[in-house]
Amino acid sequence: MPTPPTHERLVARLVADARPVRPLWSPHTRLALWLVLQVLTLGVAVEFGLRQDLGDHLRQPHFLFEVRALVAAGAMAAAVALRGAIPGMGSGRLTVTSSMALVSAAVVLVSLEPANAVRSAGDFMASGAQCLLCILGFSEIPWTALFVAVHRAAPLDPPVMGAYVGAAAFLFAAAAVRIACPIDEEIHLLAWHMVPIASGAALSAIAGARWLDRWRQA
């Protein structure tokens, strides 16, 4: 029985578009490599940060809990993004709930910092802009690496995976800037350290909707 011409054309197009592929590394391997990159980022913050009393702060449980909560939430968000990019290998609710709980804990801990009066709007904006630029700088390479890793797989929910990519990169960046920034005031930390995390995740979700969906459109 002869095949319809449309079938033959479809098969010919699929054969012409076929390219050799290499299997992806496992999500655990890619997550480990990405975390190595983030360890280097945190090392840069420790080495070149503006905080002169880092040694004293590292002995304060409150400060350590803040940084650890941000780092742990970032690692979990990256794990969700990498596993969610592979159909049938999504992360369980426990991981997602735990990451959200850690972010909430970090926000609560920051809100417990001293609420000193802002000296001037100019100083507040200048110091905040510096921290914002540092967060963007610390997140740029890790975000790109994680976004490309997710893009190489087959995410079924691109906006959500994009949001997790952004959250992971910006949570680690916020942890790095928390280490490096010498300001421990509640308003500064909430406005210039915490808000960029939510903004980065939202912008990354838009990028995910725009670029992570291309594999289905091709």
Side-chain angles (χ1 to χ4, degrees):
M1 182 176 180
T3 57
T6 55
H7 175 80
E8 294 179 356
R9 287 196 297 267
L10 176 60
V11 171
R13 188 176 66 179
L14 292 174
V15 171
D17 292 340
R19 297 290 184 274
V21 296
R22 291 182 299 175
L24 292 175
W25 291 341
S26 70
H28 297 93
T29 301
R30 289 182 291 158
L31 176 62
L33 292 174
W34 189 78
L35 290 177
V36 169
L37 175 62
Q38 292 292 23
V39 169
L40 296 176
T41 299
L42 295 175
V44 171
V46 171
E47 184 68 24
F48 300 103
L50 299 178
R51 184 184 292 277
Q52 302 299 320
D53 56 351
L54 180 60
D56 294 335
H57 274 70
L58 290 177
R59 289 190 288 270
Q60 298 178 9
H62 188 106
F63 180 82
L64 287 176
F65 286 152
E66 284 183 37
V67 175
R68 287 175 179 175
L70 292 171
V71 168
M76 287 186 177
V80 172
L82 289 171
R83 288 179 61 87
I86 300 176
M89 195 183 284
S91 295
R93 290 185 177 181
L94 179 60
T95 303
V96 176
T97 303
S98 299
S99 62
M100 295 178 65
L102 286 168
V103 174
S104 301
V107 173
V108 171
L109 289 170
V110 166
S111 67
L112 295 177
E113 293 286 353
N116 299 332
V118 178
R119 292 184 297 272
S120 69
D123 290 343
F124 179 74
M125 295 299 295
S127 60
Q130 183 177 12
C131 285
L132 177 59
L133 290 175
C134 288
I135 288 177
L136 292 174
F138 279 124
S139 64
E140 181 179 1
I141 295 178
W143 180 87
T144 302
L146 189 56
F147 194 88
V148 170
V150 172
H151 182 271
R152 290 192 61 201
L156 298 179
D157 198 344
V160 174
M161 293 303 102
Y164 277 112
V165 169
F170 277 82
L171 281 164
F172 267 98
V177 174
R178 184 71 181 98
I179 292 172
C181 176
I183 302 174
D184 296 315
E185 299 172 1
E186 174 198 13
I187 297 177
H188 172 85
L189 295 174
L190 289 174
W192 300 109
H193 290 212
M194 297 293 106
V195 171
I197 297 173
S199 302
L203 292 174
S204 186
I206 296 173
R210 176 63 180 86
W211 288 297
L212 291 181
D213 199 32
R214 285 187 173 181
W215 74 272
R216 288 192 299 182
Q217 298 173 0

